[in-house]
Amino acid sequence: MRRSLIAAVAVTALATPFAIAMTTGSATAAPTAADKPVTDFNHDGYADLAISAPGGAGYVSIVYGSASGADTAHAKKIDRTTPGVPADPEDNGGFGAGPAGDFDGDGYTDLVVNNGKVDAVIWGSADGLTKGSPLQGDFTDQLKTGDFNGDGKADLVTNNLSKMEVRYGPFTRDGKPASTSSVENSDDGPQDLIVGDVTGDGADDLVTGHAMEEMQHSSRLWKGSKDGLSKTSTPTKKFTTNGVIADVDKDGYGDLVAREVDEVSETQVYDAGAVRVVYGSKSGFSSRTAKIDQDTAGVPGASESAEINGPEYGDQFGASVTAGDVNGDGYADIAVGVPGENLGNAVDAGAVVLLKGGANGLTGSGAQDFNQGTAGVPGASEKDDNFGEEVQLTDVNKDGLADLTVGVPQEDGTTKDSGAAWLFRGAKTGLTTTGITSFSPSTLGTPEAGAHFGSRITG
């Protein structure tokens, strides 16, 4: 992975919507964890995608779902000229997509966008995303959507390293929340926000990742309830980042699936990488855990690290993680980005691995891997592509099976680092290349040069 991209992406590192927690089919007293709301800006039943291209002035491409998949012919561009988006004269201001949710309760999904120093909401409608308004409150480094009091209305959790705040919905059309509640952060303020229902009570919980300078600290669990998000937390005693909360064993409790890291943050890009599963329970996280990497039985490939400060990076298995039910069996599956995977002579070409949930939880059994050298996948594996740097599972064609969108912001098109995205279809056997599509700025008719299209995908 090129070092220059780290800074570029960090500016646009607004968090994605809260992770899926699948329902249980049990008729017993087991809890029923809430499903992830569909990101559906025009309320036609098909999941939509918001894809960030932060290079230069920056923009977001809205690609609507349809019966045939991603409807690239009717994609919409949102940028600083969109009505309701406050103007920011600075190039490289990090314009990009943040979390999505029905913030005003009208049935249409809305999208938060970041404009360098101002957050704004673009409101959904029958015509899709149209115009917006500034989001009231202080500018924040991170935002995520959840329902922390279980009232069925979308809330926003925000973080600016000195203060973490929950803005409870519904929001007015001038961007004002119904109420707010804040928590002062310590010196190792949250670096990651991960949302989902761990305890199965119908209210979302929050896991925060922490680091101070070059050192990683324990992540923490903040419980939601009918009274909202707690102002106190419990350490998980795990060093994790880039995760989701999803019910991979269908017991009604959300499980934390996140990249496992050691105590030194600055060397993570040279790691082989691994994901850690911490299983949920009624009282919070249980003592049951599992570690999965490319040396786990059934997982394709091999765990490979790199020399610190060397010319290439490690595999970084788990650099991106997303959850969804790909094969329709009711268990959440996990797609894992491996952007530092070497393929032949193509250093850091990148790959993605699908791990399948089941009655025994998340394992390597039946795992699949894909890259640009896989038969049926458009393109070719090239040095520094970092395929899998961004991944998002969502049901774009409404067939009940989650589809995988892979963002590759360093893909070269007609210009360098224009970026591209690949959409794999879900199937009863897992992900398939049948019907696969790829699209890029040139496909959508948007600016190409240095766009880094695919740096962030909200869906």
Side-chain angles (χ1 to χ4, degrees):
M1 187 185 300
R2 298 172 189 156
R3 290 162 176 77
S4 61
L5 183 64
I6 295 175
V9 173
V11 177
T12 60
L14 295 173
T16 53
F18 61 98
I20 189 169
M22 302 302 299
T23 59
T24 175
S26 172
T28 68
T32 301
D35 284 333
K36 173 186 176 181
V38 174
T39 297
D40 186 0
F41 301 123
N42 55 7
H43 198 54
D44 63 355
Y46 296 95
D48 306 318
L49 300 167
I51 304 177
S52 295
Y59 61 89
V60 176
S61 286
I62 308 302
V63 181
Y64 294 97
S66 72
S68 58
D71 183 8
T72 57
H74 298 92
K76 178 182 178 66
K77 179 166 72 83
I78 294 175
D79 59 17
R80 289 175 171 83
T81 66
T82 300
V85 175
D88 185 336
E90 298 179 5
D91 279 351
N92 301 311
F95 188 89
D102 182 8
F103 299 117
D104 59 354
D106 66 352
Y108 297 94
T109 305
D110 313 303
L111 179 70
V112 174
V113 294
N114 170 258
N115 196 32
K117 295 182 179 178
V118 180
D119 301 315
V121 181
I122 311 298
W123 304 103
S125 72
D127 296 321
L129 293 174
T130 53
K131 59 183 178 179
S133 57
L135 188 64
Q136 293 191 19
D138 296 335
F139 168 76
T140 56
D141 296 309
Q142 300 167 311
L143 305 93
K144 271 203 174 177
T145 312
D147 182 6
F148 300 105
N149 55 9
D151 65 354
K153 299 177 176 62
D155 310 317
L156 273 174
V157 58
T158 70
N159 174 52
N160 64 5
L161 299 185
S162 64
K163 182 176 69 175
M164 189 168 66
E165 181 178 73
V166 181
R167 304 176 189 179
Y168 291 96
F171 289 68
T172 62
R173 277 298 180 102
D174 60 1
K176 182 179 179 180
S179 63
T180 62
S181 177
S182 63
V183 178
E184 297 299 322
N185 291 334
S186 60
D187 290 339
D188 66 341
Q191 309 296 312
D192 296 289
L193 305 175
I194 305 170
V195 178
D197 187 3
V198 174
T199 60
D201 63 356
D204 280 319
D205 308 303
L206 173 69
V207 174
T208 53
H210 295 261
M212 180 64 177
E213 296 179 347
E214 77 280 4
M215 301 303 294
Q216 197 78 27
H217 295 174
S218 171
S219 58
R220 304 172 191 168
L221 172 65
W222 311 72
K223 294 181 182 179
S225 72
K226 63 180 179 59
D227 298 318
L229 193 68
S230 172
K231 294 190 176 185
T232 60
S233 63
T234 304
T236 67
K237 300 180 181 179
K238 301 289 187 299
F239 303 125
T240 55
T241 184
N242 298 340
V244 293
I245 295 172
D247 189 1
V248 297
D249 58 358
K250 203 168 61 170
D251 65 354
Y253 302 108
D255 311 308
L256 175 65
V257 184
R259 181 179 179 182
E260 181 181 71
V261 296
D262 59 24
E263 292 185 71
V264 183
S265 306
E266 62 186 4
T267 62
Q268 292 174 12
V269 293
Y270 302 102
D271 293 342
V275 294
R276 171 72 65 181
V277 187
V278 185
Y279 289 90
S281 73
K282 182 177 181 179
S283 59
F285 288 122
S286 70
S287 59
R288 180 187 172 205
T289 66
K291 176 183 176 181
I292 301 176
D293 59 21
Q294 287 183 284
D295 290 335
T296 300
V299 178
S303 293
E304 297 171 319
S305 58
E307 179 185 354
I308 294 177
N309 297 323
E312 62 184 80
Y313 286 168
D315 286 344
Q316 299 179 77
F317 184 88
S320 56
V321 180
T322 183
D325 185 3
V326 171
N327 54 13
D329 63 358
Y331 297 94
D333 306 307
I334 304 294
V336 179
V338 196
E341 182 85 345
N342 294 341
L343 298 169
N345 294 324
V347 174
D348 296 338
V352 293
V353 171
L354 180 70
L355 303 174
K356 297 176 181 177
N360 295 321
L362 197 68
T363 68
S365 178
Q368 300 173 277
D369 72 325
F370 300 90
N371 57 66
Q372 289 189 74
T374 302
V377 177
S381 294
E382 299 172 319
K383 182 179 184 293
D384 291 330
D385 275 350
N386 301 127
F387 187 85
E389 186 169 298
E390 177 72 358
V391 291
Q392 182 65 249
L393 281 168
T394 187
D395 185 6
V396 174
N397 60 352
K398 202 174 64 174
D399 64 354
L401 308 174
D403 311 302
L404 175 64
T405 305
V406 180
V408 189
Q410 297 191 109
E411 180 77 7
D412 294 337
T414 57
T415 64
K416 185 178 178 59
D417 293 339
S418 53
W422 280 253
L423 180 62
F424 294 78
R425 296 291 183 88
K428 293 295 184 181
T429 55
L431 291 173
T432 178
T433 58
T434 301
I436 191 173
T437 55
S438 63
F439 48 94
S440 65
S442 63
T443 308
L444 305 181
T446 53
E448 280 191 87
H452 290 296
F453 178 86
S455 293
R456 179 69 56 183
I457 303 173
T458 299

mmCIF file of all heavy atoms in Angstrom, residues 336-370:
data_model
loop_
_atom_site.group_PDB
_atom_site.id
_atom_site.type_symbol
_atom_site.label_atom_id
_atom_site.label_comp_id
_atom_site.label_asym_id
_atom_site.label_seq_id
_atom_site.Cartn_x
_atom_site.Cartn_y
_atom_site.Cartn_z
ATOM 1 N N VAL A 336 -13.446 -10.044 4.221
ATOM 2 C CA VAL A 336 -12.215 -9.501 4.794
ATOM 3 C C VAL A 336 -11.316 -9.003 3.667
ATOM 4 O O VAL A 336 -10.992 -9.751 2.739
ATOM 5 C CB VAL A 336 -11.472 -10.579 5.609
ATOM 6 C CG1 VAL A 336 -10.177 -10.019 6.197
ATOM 7 C CG2 VAL A 336 -12.363 -11.134 6.713
ATOM 8 N N GLY A 337 -10.894 -7.755 3.751
ATOM 9 C CA GLY A 337 -9.955 -7.227 2.790
ATOM 10 C C GLY A 337 -8.528 -7.608 3.144
ATOM 11 O O GLY A 337 -8.146 -7.599 4.320
ATOM 12 N N VAL A 338 -7.751 -7.983 2.129
ATOM 13 C CA VAL A 338 -6.338 -8.341 2.306
ATOM 14 C C VAL A 338 -5.536 -7.496 1.303
ATOM 15 O O VAL A 338 -4.971 -8.013 0.341
ATOM 16 C CB VAL A 338 -6.104 -9.847 2.069
ATOM 17 C CG1 VAL A 338 -4.754 -10.286 2.639
ATOM 18 C CG2 VAL A 338 -7.219 -10.694 2.669
ATOM 19 N N PRO A 339 -5.471 -6.170 1.501
ATOM 20 C CA PRO A 339 -4.923 -5.291 0.458
ATOM 21 C C PRO A 339 -3.436 -5.443 0.204
ATOM 22 O O PRO A 339 -2.941 -5.020 -0.844
ATOM 23 C CB PRO A 339 -5.245 -3.892 0.999
ATOM 24 C CG PRO A 339 -5.333 -4.061 2.483
ATOM 25 C CD PRO A 339 -5.939 -5.420 2.674
ATOM 26 N N GLY A 340 -2.686 -6.050 1.128
ATOM 27 C CA GLY A 340 -1.253 -6.227 0.930
ATOM 28 C C GLY A 340 -0.862 -7.572 0.370
ATOM 29 O O GLY A 340 0.329 -7.909 0.322
ATOM 30 N N GLU A 341 -1.837 -8.364 -0.080
ATOM 31 C CA GLU A 341 -1.543 -9.687 -0.626
ATOM 32 C C GLU A 341 -0.694 -9.567 -1.891
ATOM 33 O O GLU A 341 -1.019 -8.808 -2.822
ATOM 34 C CB GLU A 341 -2.861 -10.415 -0.950
ATOM 35 C CG GLU A 341 -2.688 -11.819 -1.471
ATOM 36 C CD GLU A 341 -2.558 -12.846 -0.346
ATOM 37 O OE1 GLU A 341 -2.318 -12.478 0.812
ATOM 38 O OE2 GLU A 341 -2.705 -14.045 -0.645
ATOM 39 N N ASN A 342 0.417 -10.314 -1.928
ATOM 40 C CA ASN A 342 1.244 -10.377 -3.128
ATOM 41 C C ASN A 342 0.744 -11.498 -4.032
ATOM 42 O O ASN A 342 0.480 -12.610 -3.567
ATOM 43 C CB ASN A 342 2.710 -10.642 -2.775
ATOM 44 C CG ASN A 342 3.344 -9.497 -2.003
ATOM 45 O OD1 ASN A 342 2.844 -8.381 -2.015
ATOM 46 N ND2 ASN A 342 4.433 -9.781 -1.316
ATOM 47 N N LEU A 343 0.639 -11.227 -5.309
ATOM 48 C CA LEU A 343 0.178 -12.221 -6.278
ATOM 49 C C LEU A 343 1.220 -12.336 -7.387
ATOM 50 O O LEU A 343 1.319 -11.451 -8.242
ATOM 51 C CB LEU A 343 -1.183 -11.815 -6.850
ATOM 52 C CG LEU A 343 -2.307 -11.715 -5.814
ATOM 53 C CD1 LEU A 343 -3.544 -11.062 -6.416
ATOM 54 C CD2 LEU A 343 -2.659 -13.099 -5.267
ATOM 55 N N GLY A 344 2.024 -13.396 -7.323
ATOM 56 C CA GLY A 344 3.126 -13.521 -8.255
ATOM 57 C C GLY A 344 4.112 -12.392 -8.048
ATOM 58 O O GLY A 344 4.549 -12.124 -6.929
ATOM 59 N N ASN A 345 4.434 -11.698 -9.121
ATOM 60 C CA ASN A 345 5.350 -10.566 -9.024
ATOM 61 C C ASN A 345 4.646 -9.252 -8.708
ATOM 62 O O ASN A 345 5.288 -8.205 -8.607
ATOM 63 C CB ASN A 345 6.124 -10.414 -10.341
ATOM 64 C CG ASN A 345 7.049 -11.586 -10.598
ATOM 65 O OD1 ASN A 345 7.641 -12.136 -9.665
ATOM 66 N ND2 ASN A 345 7.183 -11.974 -11.859
ATOM 67 N N ALA A 346 3.336 -9.314 -8.567
ATOM 68 C CA ALA A 346 2.555 -8.112 -8.272
ATOM 69 C C ALA A 346 2.499 -7.899 -6.762
ATOM 70 O O ALA A 346 1.686 -8.506 -6.055
ATOM 71 C CB ALA A 346 1.147 -8.225 -8.854
ATOM 72 N N VAL A 347 3.386 -7.048 -6.267
ATOM 73 C CA VAL A 347 3.477 -6.768 -4.832
ATOM 74 C C VAL A 347 2.298 -5.897 -4.397
ATOM 75 O O VAL A 347 1.941 -4.927 -5.074
ATOM 76 C CB VAL A 347 4.804 -6.063 -4.506
ATOM 77 C CG1 VAL A 347 4.859 -5.636 -3.048
ATOM 78 C CG2 VAL A 347 5.978 -6.970 -4.854
ATOM 79 N N ASP A 348 1.686 -6.266 -3.272
ATOM 80 C CA ASP A 348 0.555 -5.505 -2.726
ATOM 81 C C ASP A 348 -0.587 -5.377 -3.736
ATOM 82 O O ASP A 348 -1.259 -4.340 -3.813
ATOM 83 C CB ASP A 348 0.988 -4.123 -2.245
ATOM 84 C CG ASP A 348 1.976 -4.189 -1.086
ATOM 85 O OD1 ASP A 348 2.003 -5.219 -0.395
ATOM 86 O OD2 ASP A 348 2.709 -3.202 -0.878
ATOM 87 N N ALA A 349 -0.806 -6.433 -4.516
ATOM 88 C CA ALA A 349 -1.909 -6.417 -5.486
ATOM 89 C C ALA A 349 -3.258 -6.464 -4.784
ATOM 90 O O ALA A 349 -4.218 -5.820 -5.201
ATOM 91 C CB ALA A 349 -1.779 -7.591 -6.449
ATOM 92 N N GLY A 350 -3.344 -7.257 -3.698
ATOM 93 C CA GLY A 350 -4.552 -7.289 -2.893
ATOM 94 C C GLY A 350 -5.533 -8.383 -3.254
ATOM 95 O O GLY A 350 -5.540 -8.915 -4.364
ATOM 96 N N ALA A 351 -6.382 -8.720 -2.274
ATOM 97 C CA ALA A 351 -7.386 -9.772 -2.432
ATOM 98 C C ALA A 351 -8.482 -9.571 -1.390
ATOM 99 O O ALA A 351 -8.357 -8.730 -0.479
ATOM 100 C CB ALA A 351 -6.746 -11.154 -2.262
ATOM 101 N N VAL A 352 -9.562 -10.327 -1.523
ATOM 102 C CA VAL A 352 -10.610 -10.374 -0.503
ATOM 103 C C VAL A 352 -10.897 -11.834 -0.176
ATOM 104 O O VAL A 352 -10.773 -12.713 -1.040
ATOM 105 C CB VAL A 352 -11.911 -9.674 -0.949
ATOM 106 C CG1 VAL A 352 -11.702 -8.186 -1.105
ATOM 107 C CG2 VAL A 352 -12.452 -10.278 -2.236
ATOM 108 N N VAL A 353 -11.268 -12.091 1.075
ATOM 109 C CA VAL A 353 -11.622 -13.433 1.538
ATOM 110 C C VAL A 353 -12.996 -13.377 2.182
ATOM 111 O O VAL A 353 -13.279 -12.472 2.982
ATOM 112 C CB VAL A 353 -10.587 -13.965 2.551
ATOM 113 C CG1 VAL A 353 -11.062 -15.259 3.188
ATOM 114 C CG2 VAL A 353 -9.236 -14.177 1.872
ATOM 115 N N LEU A 354 -13.853 -14.333 1.825
ATOM 116 C CA LEU A 354 -15.163 -14.451 2.464
ATOM 117 C C LEU A 354 -15.123 -15.558 3.500
ATOM 118 O O LEU A 354 -14.826 -16.711 3.178
ATOM 119 C CB LEU A 354 -16.260 -14.754 1.439
ATOM 120 C CG LEU A 354 -17.670 -14.883 2.039
ATOM 121 C CD1 LEU A 354 -18.175 -13.538 2.525
ATOM 122 C CD2 LEU A 354 -18.648 -15.511 1.045
ATOM 123 N N LEU A 355 -15.414 -15.213 4.762
ATOM 124 C CA LEU A 355 -15.542 -16.181 5.851
ATOM 125 C C LEU A 355 -17.027 -16.376 6.128
ATOM 126 O O LEU A 355 -17.771 -15.397 6.252
ATOM 127 C CB LEU A 355 -14.838 -15.665 7.113
ATOM 128 C CG LEU A 355 -13.354 -15.320 6.975
ATOM 129 C CD1 LEU A 355 -12.847 -14.677 8.258
ATOM 130 C CD2 LEU A 355 -12.543 -16.557 6.629
ATOM 131 N N LYS A 356 -17.448 -17.632 6.259
ATOM 132 C CA LYS A 356 -18.875 -17.917 6.387
ATOM 133 C C LYS A 356 -19.257 -18.211 7.827
ATOM 134 O O LYS A 356 -18.592 -18.961 8.533
ATOM 135 C CB LYS A 356 -19.249 -19.094 5.479
ATOM 136 C CG LYS A 356 -19.039 -18.786 3.999
ATOM 137 C CD LYS A 356 -19.328 -19.974 3.106
ATOM 138 C CE LYS A 356 -19.069 -19.621 1.642
ATOM 139 N NZ LYS A 356 -19.261 -20.781 0.735
ATOM 140 N N GLY A 357 -20.350 -17.559 8.260
ATOM 141 C CA GLY A 357 -20.893 -17.835 9.574
ATOM 142 C C GLY A 357 -21.628 -19.162 9.586
ATOM 143 O O GLY A 357 -21.996 -19.702 8.543
ATOM 144 N N GLY A 358 -21.850 -19.711 10.791
ATOM 145 C CA GLY A 358 -22.553 -20.984 10.930
ATOM 146 C C GLY A 358 -22.848 -21.267 12.387
ATOM 147 O O GLY A 358 -22.579 -20.449 13.271
ATOM 148 N N ALA A 359 -23.406 -22.437 12.648
ATOM 149 C CA ALA A 359 -23.798 -22.805 14.000
ATOM 150 C C ALA A 359 -22.625 -22.789 14.966
ATOM 151 O O ALA A 359 -22.796 -22.553 16.173
ATOM 152 C CB ALA A 359 -24.456 -24.185 13.992
ATOM 153 N N ASN A 360 -21.433 -23.030 14.462
ATOM 154 C CA ASN A 360 -20.227 -23.003 15.296
ATOM 155 C C ASN A 360 -19.550 -21.641 15.296
ATOM 156 O O ASN A 360 -18.434 -21.495 15.804
ATOM 157 C CB ASN A 360 -19.243 -24.073 14.821
ATOM 158 C CG ASN A 360 -19.783 -25.479 14.999
ATOM 159 O OD1 ASN A 360 -20.434 -25.776 16.002
ATOM 160 N ND2 ASN A 360 -19.529 -26.348 14.032
ATOM 161 N N GLY A 361 -20.208 -20.653 14.729
ATOM 162 C CA GLY A 361 -19.627 -19.323 14.658
ATOM 163 C C GLY A 361 -18.839 -19.134 13.385
ATOM 164 O O GLY A 361 -19.045 -19.823 12.379
ATOM 165 N N LEU A 362 -17.919 -18.203 13.402
ATOM 166 C CA LEU A 362 -17.110 -17.893 12.228
ATOM 167 C C LEU A 362 -15.889 -18.809 12.195
ATOM 168 O O LEU A 362 -15.152 -18.912 13.175
ATOM 169 C CB LEU A 362 -16.667 -16.430 12.280
ATOM 170 C CG LEU A 362 -16.167 -15.831 10.967
ATOM 171 C CD1 LEU A 362 -17.312 -15.715 9.968
ATOM 172 C CD2 LEU A 362 -15.534 -14.464 11.219
ATOM 173 N N THR A 363 -15.704 -19.490 11.077
ATOM 174 C CA THR A 363 -14.574 -20.401 10.910
ATOM 175 C C THR A 363 -13.993 -20.224 9.513
ATOM 176 O O THR A 363 -14.471 -19.409 8.726
ATOM 177 C CB THR A 363 -14.997 -21.874 11.081
ATOM 178 O OG1 THR A 363 -15.858 -22.248 9.982
ATOM 179 C CG2 THR A 363 -15.740 -22.092 12.402
ATOM 180 N N GLY A 364 -12.981 -21.017 9.192
ATOM 181 C CA GLY A 364 -12.419 -21.009 7.854
ATOM 182 C C GLY A 364 -13.119 -21.970 6.907
ATOM 183 O O GLY A 364 -12.803 -22.002 5.715
ATOM 184 N N SER A 365 -14.075 -22.738 7.411
ATOM 185 C CA SER A 365 -14.758 -23.730 6.583
ATOM 186 C C SER A 365 -15.507 -23.064 5.430
ATOM 187 O O SER A 365 -16.323 -22.173 5.638
ATOM 188 C CB SER A 365 -15.736 -24.535 7.440
ATOM 189 O OG SER A 365 -16.440 -25.481 6.649
ATOM 190 N N GLY A 366 -15.230 -23.502 4.215
ATOM 191 C CA GLY A 366 -15.908 -22.984 3.029
ATOM 192 C C GLY A 366 -15.483 -21.599 2.620
ATOM 193 O O GLY A 366 -16.149 -20.964 1.788
ATOM 194 N N ALA A 367 -14.375 -21.097 3.168
ATOM 195 C CA ALA A 367 -13.921 -19.751 2.830
ATOM 196 C C ALA A 367 -13.588 -19.638 1.347
ATOM 197 O O ALA A 367 -13.163 -20.604 0.704
ATOM 198 C CB ALA A 367 -12.715 -19.369 3.679
ATOM 199 N N GLN A 368 -13.784 -18.448 0.797
ATOM 200 C CA GLN A 368 -13.485 -18.185 -0.612
ATOM 201 C C GLN A 368 -12.528 -17.001 -0.707
ATOM 202 O O GLN A 368 -12.532 -16.123 0.165
ATOM 203 C CB GLN A 368 -14.764 -17.829 -1.384
ATOM 204 C CG GLN A 368 -15.850 -18.886 -1.385
ATOM 205 C CD GLN A 368 -17.112 -18.348 -2.041
ATOM 206 O OE1 GLN A 368 -17.906 -17.679 -1.390
ATOM 207 N NE2 GLN A 368 -17.279 -18.614 -3.329
ATOM 208 N N ASP A 369 -11.734 -16.960 -1.758
ATOM 209 C CA ASP A 369 -10.912 -15.778 -1.990
ATOM 210 C C ASP A 369 -11.020 -15.343 -3.443
ATOM 211 O O ASP A 369 -11.265 -16.157 -4.347
ATOM 212 C CB ASP A 369 -9.454 -16.026 -1.591
ATOM 213 C CG ASP A 369 -8.723 -16.961 -2.553
ATOM 214 O OD1 ASP A 369 -9.369 -17.901 -3.071
ATOM 215 O OD2 ASP A 369 -7.516 -16.771 -2.771
ATOM 216 N N PHE A 370 -10.859 -14.035 -3.646
ATOM 217 C CA PHE A 370 -10.978 -13.441 -4.977
ATOM 218 C C PHE A 370 -9.943 -12.337 -5.123
ATOM 219 O O PHE A 370 -9.614 -11.631 -4.170
ATOM 220 C CB PHE A 370 -12.375 -12.847 -5.188
ATOM 221 C CG PHE A 370 -13.498 -13.841 -5.085
ATOM 222 C CD1 PHE A 370 -14.102 -14.093 -3.857
ATOM 223 C CD2 PHE A 370 -13.949 -14.522 -6.199
ATOM 224 C CE1 PHE A 370 -15.142 -15.008 -3.748
ATOM 225 C CE2 PHE A 370 -14.988 -15.440 -6.100
ATOM 226 C CZ PHE A 370 -15.590 -15.680 -4.877
#
